Amino acid sequence: MTARRRFRDVIRIGPVQVATSYDGRGRDKHTAACTAPRCGFSADYDSRAAAELAGRTHRCQV
């Protein structure tokens, strides 16, 4: 069963969205996900700076 995440502080850097949410244990997790069709890039990070850096440096392979 997957957990429903409630995202906050959502920003968009090109095709990548960066957002903050709580994980199952109440800690902050930061997610970067590409919204381009057929890209499939998404990753969770412990710091907001790391997620924003991933969003700025991501290049779609499609």
Side-chain angles (χ1 to χ4, degrees), residues 39-62:
C39 179
F41 167 76
S42 68
D44 289 334
Y45 298 94
D46 290 329
S47 71
R48 178 75 182 205
E52 289 183 10
L53 180 64
R56 285 188 177 88
T57 59
H58 171 69
R59 299 292 174 251
C60 291
Q61 298 298 321
V62 182

Side-chain angles (χ1 to χ4, degrees), residues 16-60:
V16 179
Q17 285 187 338
V18 177
T20 303
S21 66
Y22 292 115
D23 66 356
R25 297 180 182 210
R27 296 175 295 205
D28 276 342
K29 285 292 181 181
H30 309 279
T31 303
C34 186
T35 60
R38 297 179 292 147
C39 179
F41 167 76
S42 68
D44 289 334
Y45 298 94
D46 290 329
S47 71
R48 178 75 182 205
E52 289 183 10
L53 180 64
R56 285 188 177 88
T57 59
H58 171 69
R59 299 292 174 251
C60 291

